[in-house]
C-alpha cells in the first residue's frame, strides 16, 4: 500500500516481518516481540518496530536510537490510542525518526495525526490525496499546543497551523 | 434571522474575535464537505457517524436531533433569539434544554444542518463536541458571577477548557465521552463528583486559584461518586494535569465494551491509588512549561468577558419587600425561584421550564423570545441554562423583579417550583430517543400534575425527582432523592424507583433501587405514597432526603409496594 507523506504519495520502502520466517534483508518492520532478534540482525537495512495499540512506548526506550521508524496501528478509526503513543514517542522519548500510522484511518483524522507527531500514513491504493490535503488545510488555527510547537496566535492557547 | 450589532463585550461569556469566528466558519465548511462525502458514498454510515456526532447530530427514532452547545450554560439574548428562529424555521417551534446546559432540536433534516450551523456561527454558536467520544461541553455553576457564596468565577476556566478541548488532536477519539464540570463556589451546584473530571475552584495563596480535582464520577449503568485526586492543583498546572489524566485514560481505558469504557471503570479497575500513580508519572514526565497556563493568559481570557454594569441599590430591596407584601403569589415565587446575589439590590432568578403537566426543559420559540427580551431589559442581555433544565436571569434589580415575574406569568413561565417535587429532570425518553426503553415525558407530566398544588409542594419542600428513560441515565435518576428509571419488562414499558440519591451540597449519594418495576400509573401512585411516608414520619425541619437517610429505604419500600 502507498504512503502519504507531506501531501505526496510515495512508494513503500519497508518490508513487514513475516511470522515464523527469518527476518529479510533490507528495511524491516518487526513486532515488539521480535525486537531483540532484529537488533542482533546482521544487515545494513534500517529497522522499525510495529507497535500494537496496547503496547507501551516505554518498551522502546533503550532500542530507540537504533530505530528508524515506529509504526502505530488503528484497528479501527475510533480507537485513538495511537494518538497518545505518537505524542509520547515525540514528547517523552524525544524520538526524531519516522512515525507511521497504519490501519483504518479517515482523512478527517489527518491533522490530528500530524499534530501528535505522525509523519507518514499508510493509505489504501488509489487514495485521493486531495481529500487528505483538504483535511490538512481545513483550519488555520488550533486551540492547544502540540508536538509541532506551532507559533502562538493571539489570545489563549491558540496556535497557527502550518498549511 | 436576528442579528446582533453590538460591539460591547457580551456579559457572562467569552466574546469571539475574528480568529474565533473564522474557525467556526472553517468548521462548518468541513462539516459540509463531510456531508457531501457521505451523500456521495465516499464515507460509510459507520465512518460518518462519529463525524456527525462530533457536530452534535444524532439520528433518533423519527428524525435527526441537533444538540447545540451552550458553553457553561451562558447565552446572550441575541443567541437565544437565534435559537428561537431555528426552532421556528427548522424545527417544530420548540427546543429542549438538556442536563449539560445545552439545547437540542428534535426534528432536524440532515441536508439543512450545514445551513443551521452557518446561522449558529453568525452568533458565535456551534454544535462542536456536543456528542461523540470526546471532551463534551464543560458545565459550570448556573449562578456564576452572581451567587453571594461564590469564591471565583468558574466560567473563565470553563472557557479555557472549552478552547483547549476543541478539536484536541490527541483526545478526539477517546474510549468514550468525557464530561468536565467546574464550580467556583464551595457549595457544589454542578454535581462535580458525578463527572469524569469535577473541579472545585477556590482561592489559593498569592491571589491565584487552586483546584480540587475529582475523577471517575458518573451516572449511567454504573453510578460512581468521583474520587479526589488533588486537593490544591495550582492554576498554572490546570491544563497539564488534565492532559495527564486524559492521556492515562486514552491509553488504558477499555475499548472492547462501550458499557465499561468510561474513565470511572478504569479508576475502579486500577484502584484510585494506582490510577493516581499513572497520572503523576505522566505529569512528572511532561514538559510543564509547554502546557503551563500562565496567569496572563487567564486574564486575557477574562478580559474578553463582559461584566454587568450594576447600579447603586437605592431602595430596590424595600420596593421588592413592598411588592411581596402586596402580592402573595409573587411572594411565593420569590421564595422558591430566586437566589441571593453578591451585589446589593440585585437578585438571581431561576425561571422554571417545568409548568404543571408540561414537558421538563421544553421551551417554545415564543417563550425563548420573551426570555431574550427580559434578559435584554432586566439582566444585561445574559441568560443561563441550568443542568436542572431551567433558565436563569442572573442579575435582576430587586425593584424590577415584580415586572419580570408578571411577564413570566403571562407567558407560562411563572411556575413557582424550583427545588420542589415538580421541578423534575427528565430525558427525552422513548418519545424521541433511539436508546430509550420507556417514555419519560408522559410519566413526568403525570407526576407534575399529581403534585401541582402549590400548597402541597411547599408542604413537601425540597425534593429532587429525576426520570431517565433507560439505564444510560441522561435524566440522572441515580442522583434524584426519588429517581425513576424506565425499563423494558417483557415488552412493556415499566419503571423502577430509586431512593436516596443526591448530587448537591455536602453529601453525594447514589439512589438505591426499591424493588421490581411498576407500570406508569402504579409508579405515580407509589411516588405519592413514598411522599406520604415522609410527611407522616419527618421530624421538625427535616427535608425529604434527611428523613430517607435517617429511616433507610424499608418504610418507603413498604409504602411503595403496599397496594400495587
Amino acid at each position: 500500500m502507498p504512503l502519504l507523506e507531506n501531501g505526496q504519495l510515495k512508494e513503500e520502502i519497508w518490508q513487514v516481518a513475516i511470522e515464523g520466517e527469518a527476518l529479510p534483508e533490507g528495511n524491516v518492520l518487526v513486532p515488539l516481540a521480535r525486537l531483540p532478534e532484529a537488533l542482533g540482525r546482521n544487515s545494513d537495512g534500517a529497522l522499525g518496530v510495529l507497535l500494537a495499540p496496547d503496547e507501551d512506548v516505554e518498551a522502546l526506550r533503550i532500542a530507540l536510537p537504533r530505530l528508524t521508524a515506529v509504526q502505530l496501528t488503528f484497528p479501527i478509526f475510533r480507537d485513538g490510542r495511537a494518538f497518545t503513543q505518537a505524542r509520547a514517542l515525540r514528547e517523552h522519548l524525544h524520538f526524531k525518526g519516522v512515525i507511521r500510522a497504519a490501519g483504518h484511518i479517515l482523512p478527517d483524522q489527518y491533522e490530528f495525526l500530524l499534530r501528535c507527531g505522525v509523519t507518514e500514513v499508510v493509505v489504501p491504493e488509489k487514495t485521493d490525496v486531495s481529500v487528505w490535503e483538504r483535511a490538512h488545510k481545513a483550519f488555520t488555527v488550533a486551540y492547544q499546543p502540540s508536538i509541532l510547537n506551532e507559533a502562538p496566535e493571539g489570545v489563549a492557547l491558540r496556535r497557527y497551523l502550518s498549511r | 434571522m436576528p442579528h446582533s450589532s453590538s460591539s460591547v463585550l457580551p456579559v457572562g461569556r467569552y466574546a469571539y474575535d475574528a480568529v474565533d469566528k473564522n474557525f467556526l466558519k472553517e468548521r462548518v465548511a468541513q462539516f459540509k464537505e463531510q456531508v457531501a462525502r457521505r451523500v456521495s458514498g465516499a464515507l460509510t454510515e459507520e465512518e460518518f457517524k462519529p463525524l456527525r456526532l462530533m457536530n452534535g447530530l444524532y439520528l433518533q427514532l423519527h428524525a435527526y436531533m441537533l444538540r447545540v452547545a451552550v458553553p457553561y450554560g451562558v447565552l446572550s439574548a441575541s443567541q437565544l433569539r437565534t435559537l428561537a428562529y431555528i426552532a421556528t424555521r427548522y424545527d417544530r417551534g420548540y427546543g429542549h434544554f438538556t442536563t449539560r446546559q445545552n439545547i437540542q432540536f428534535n426534528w432536524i433534516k440532515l441536508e439543512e444542518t450545514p445551513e443551521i450551523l452557518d446561522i449558529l456561527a453568525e452568533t458565535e454558536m456551534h454544535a462542536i463536541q456536543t456528542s461523540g467520544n470526546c471532551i463534551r461541553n464543560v458545565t459550570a455553576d448556573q449562578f456564576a458571577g452572581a451567587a453571594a457564596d461564590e469564591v471565583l468565577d468558574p466560567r473563565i476556566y470553563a472557557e479555557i477548557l472549552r478552547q483547549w478541548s476543541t478539536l484536541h488532536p490527541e483526545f478526539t477519539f477517546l474510549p468514550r465521552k468525557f464530561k468536565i464540570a467546574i464550580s467556583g463556589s464551595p457549595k457544589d451546584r454542578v454535581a462535580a463528583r458525578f463527572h469524569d473530571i469535577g473541579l472545585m475552584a477556590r482561592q489559593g495563596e498569592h491571589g491565584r486559584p487552586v483546584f480540587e480535582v475529582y475523577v471517575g464520577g458518573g451516572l449511567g449503568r454504573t453510578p460512581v461518586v468521583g474520587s479526589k485526586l488533588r486537593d490544591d492543583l495550582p492554576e498554572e498546572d490546570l491544563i497539564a494535569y488534565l492532559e495527564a489524566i486524559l492521556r492515562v485514560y486514552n491509553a488504558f481505558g477499555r475499548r472492547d465494551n462501550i458499557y465499561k469504557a468510561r474513565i470511572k471503570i478504569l479508576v475502579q479497575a486500577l484502584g484510585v491509588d494506582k490510577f493516581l500513580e499513572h497520572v503523576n508519572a505522566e505529569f512528572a514526565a511532561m514538559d510543564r512549561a509547554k502546557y503551563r497556563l500562565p496567569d496572563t493568559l487567564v486574564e486575557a481570557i477574562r478580559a474578553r468577558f463582559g461584566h454587568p454594569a450594576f447600579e447603586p441599590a437605592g431602595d430596590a430591596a424595600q420596593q421588592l419587600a413592598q411588592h411581596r407584601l402586596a402580592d402573595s403569589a409573587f411572594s411565593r415565587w420569590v421564595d422558591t425561584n430566586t437566589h441571593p446575589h453578591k451585589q446589593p439590590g440585585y437578585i438571581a432568578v431561576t425561571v422554571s421550564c417545568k409548568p404543571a403537566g408540561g414537558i421538563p426543559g421544553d421551551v417554545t420559540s415564543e417563550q425563548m423570545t420573551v426570555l431574550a427580551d427580559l434578559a435584554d431589559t432586566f439582566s444585561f442581555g445574559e441568560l443561563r441554562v441550568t443542568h436542572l433544565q431551567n433558565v436563569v436571569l442572573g442579575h435582576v434589580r430587586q425593584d424590577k423583579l415584580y415586572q419580570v415575574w408578571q411577564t413570566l406569568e403571562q407567558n407560562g413561565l411563572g411556575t413557582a417550583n424550583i427545588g420542589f417535587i415538580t421541578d423534575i429532570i427528565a430525558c427525552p425518553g422513548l418519545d424521541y430517543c433511539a436508546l430509550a426503553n420507556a417514555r419519560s415525558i408522559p410519566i413526568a407530566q403525570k407526576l407534575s400534575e399529581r403534585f401541582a398544588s402549590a400548597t402541597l409542594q411547599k408542604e413537601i419542600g425540597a425534593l429532587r425527582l429525576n426520570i431517565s428513560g433507560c439505564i444510560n441515565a441522561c435524566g440522572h435518576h441515580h442522583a434524584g432523592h426519588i429517581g425513576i428509571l424506565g425499563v423494558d419488562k417483557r415488552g412493556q414499558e415499566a419503571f423502577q424507583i430509586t431512593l436516596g440519591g443526591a448530587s448537591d451540597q455536602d453529601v453525594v449519594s447514589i439512589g438505591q433501587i426499591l424493588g421490581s418495576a411498576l407500570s406508569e400509573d402504579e409508579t405515580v401512585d407509589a411516588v405519592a405514597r413514598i411522599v406520604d411516608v415522609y410527611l407522616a414520619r419527618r421530624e421538625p425541619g427535616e427535608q425529604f432526603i434527611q428523613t430517607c437517610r435517617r429511616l433507610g429505604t424499608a418504610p418507603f419500600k413498604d409504602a411503595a409496594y403496599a397496594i400495587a
Side-chain angles (χ1 to χ4, degrees), chain B residues 108-159:
Chain B
I108 295 297
K109 297 187 183 77
L110 174 62
E111 60 275 21
E112 290 182 342
T113 310
E115 193 176 315
I116 298 172
L117 294 176
D118 263 335
I119 293 169
L120 288 169
E122 289 288 318
T123 37
E124 305 178 8
M125 279 190 290
H126 58 76
I128 298 169
Q129 289 168 215
T130 55
S131 180
N133 294 335
C134 49
I135 301 171
R136 301 287 191 88
N137 191 32
V138 178
T139 51
D141 184 346
Q142 70 264 28
F143 296 124
D149 62 0
E150 180 169 285
V151 181
L152 57 92
D153 191 337
R155 296 171 299 185
I156 312 302
Y157 299 93
E159 174 62 24

Side-chain angles (χ1 to χ4, degrees), chain B residues 332-505:
Chain B
R332 275 197 302 277
W333 177 82
V334 175
D335 280 338
T336 49
N337 292 44
T338 63
H339 191 271
H341 202 289
K342 61 185 178 187
Q343 181 72 21
Y346 285 80
I347 198 160
V349 172
T350 305
V351 178
S352 173
C353 299
K354 286 82 174 276
I359 299 173
D362 271 18
V363 175
T364 66
S365 301
E366 293 75 20
Q367 289 176 323
M368 288 184 214
T369 306
V370 168
L371 288 167
D373 291 347
L374 282 172
D376 266 339
T377 313
F378 298 108
S379 198
F380 303 95
E382 181 229 63
L383 309 103
R384 301 103 183 274
V385 181
T386 82
H387 79 280
L388 305 175
Q389 302 178 289
N390 293 311
V391 171
V392 164
L393 293 166
H395 320 285
V396 177
R397 253 185 87 93
Q398 293 180 4
D399 49 359
K400 305 293 184 195
L401 193 58
Y402 192 50
Q403 243 177 297
V404 170
W405 174 73
Q406 286 175 315
T407 305
L408 292 172
E409 271 282 284
Q410 287 156 16
N411 290 281
L413 294 164
T415 311
N417 64 346
I418 298 305
F420 286 166
I421 189 168
T422 62
D423 183 11
I424 296 168
I425 293 181
C427 70
L430 195 55
D431 287 297
Y432 299 101
C433 179
L435 302 173
N437 289 321
R439 288 168 300 155
S440 315
I441 291 172
I443 191 169
Q445 291 174 301
K446 283 184 181 175
L447 283 160
S448 165
E449 277 163 7
R450 178 70 163 250
F451 293 99
S453 155
T455 319
L456 176 60
Q457 289 191 61
K458 191 177 175 190
E459 176 68 22
I460 298 166
L463 201 165
R464 170 125 301 289
L465 175 56
N466 294 353
I467 305 172
S468 303
C470 78
I471 192 72
N472 292 307
C474 297
H476 299 176
H477 64 278
H478 304 108
H481 301 160
I482 298 175
I484 293 176
L485 166 64
V487 296
D488 179 335
K489 196 173 181 180
R490 293 181 292 277
Q492 300 291 316
E493 290 176 51
F495 298 89
Q496 282 182 348
I497 300 174
T498 60
L499 197 71
S503 65
D504 44 12
Q505 317 211 14

Side-chain angles (χ1 to χ4, degrees), chain A residues 76-81 84 87 91-92 104 108-109 112 134 138-140 143-144 146 149 156 158, chain B residues 17 20 26 33-34 37 46-47 50 163-164 166-167 169-170 173 247 250 255 282 290-291 297:
Chain A
I76 188 160
F77 69 98
R78 290 190 300 270
D79 184 339
R81 284 176 287 183
T84 288
R87 199 263 321 144
E91 214 173 61
H92 294 343
H104 184 188
D108 313 86
Q109 297 175 302
F112 298 144
R134 277 204 299 280
F139 294 99
T140 41
Y143 282 91
Q144 58 293 111
S146 87
N149 292 318
R158 275 193 329 229
Chain B
D17 64 10
D20 297 311
E26 291 171 342
E33 201 238 354
Q34 289 167 342
R37 277 159 59 216
E46 192 206 0
E47 290 171 336
Q163 295 195 15
W164 159 75
T166 296
L167 301 190
E170 194 177 340
F173 295 88
R247 286 169 184 185
N250 196 40
R255 293 176 188 267
E282 177 63 38
K290 181 170 166 180
Y291 294 96
L297 192 151

Side-chain angles (χ1 to χ4, degrees), chain B residues 32-167:
Chain B
K32 272 183 193 161
E33 201 238 354
Q34 289 167 342
V35 171
R37 277 159 59 216
R38 173 70 194 111
V39 171
S40 78
L43 283 172
T44 65
E45 177 54 27
E46 192 206 0
E47 290 171 336
F48 179 58
K49 186 179 170 186
L51 302 180
R52 67 168 159 75
L53 287 179
M54 270 181 270
N55 245 315
L57 193 64
Y58 284 75
L59 183 55
Q60 294 289 52
L61 285 176
H62 312 291
Y64 280 95
M65 178 271 276
L66 180 67
R67 184 180 293 150
V68 177
V70 184
Y72 32 98
V74 177
L75 281 172
S76 294
S78 58
Q79 293 179 319
L80 188 54
R81 287 193 191 94
T82 296
L83 295 172
Y85 171 78
I86 289 167
T88 304
R89 169 72 180 75
Y90 299 98
D91 201 284
R92 297 187 176 176
Y94 63 95
H96 177 77
F97 290 122
T98 77
T99 55
R100 282 212 78 63
Q101 301 179 299
N102 292 321
I103 185 167
Q104 56 196 42
F105 296 106
N106 285 306
W107 303 97
I108 295 297
K109 297 187 183 77
L110 174 62
E111 60 275 21
E112 290 182 342
T113 310
E115 193 176 315
I116 298 172
L117 294 176
D118 263 335
I119 293 169
L120 288 169
E122 289 288 318
T123 37
E124 305 178 8
M125 279 190 290
H126 58 76
I128 298 169
Q129 289 168 215
T130 55
S131 180
N133 294 335
C134 49
I135 301 171
R136 301 287 191 88
N137 191 32
V138 178
T139 51
D141 184 346
Q142 70 264 28
F143 296 124
D149 62 0
E150 180 169 285
V151 181
L152 57 92
D153 191 337
R155 296 171 299 185
I156 312 302
Y157 299 93
E159 174 62 24
I160 290 167
L161 296 182
R162 181 192 74 81
Q163 295 195 15
W164 159 75
S165 64
T166 296
L167 301 190

Side-chain angles (χ1 to χ4, degrees), chain A residues 103-157:
Chain A
H104 184 188
I105 300 167
L106 302 185
D108 313 86
Q109 297 175 302
Y110 190 33
E111 189 68 6
F112 298 144
L113 290 168
L114 296 175
R115 297 195 77 220
C116 286
V118 169
T119 43
E120 295 179 1
V121 182
V122 182
V123 291
E125 299 291 344
K126 295 184 185 148
T127 286
D128 180 356
V129 178
S130 69
V131 177
W132 292 74
E133 266 307 280
R134 277 204 299 280
H136 172 42
K137 293 186 171 167
F139 294 99
T140 41
V141 294
Y143 282 91
Q144 58 293 111
S146 87
I147 72 96
L148 296 181
N149 292 318
E150 300 99 342
E153 191 290 324
V155 295
L157 296 163

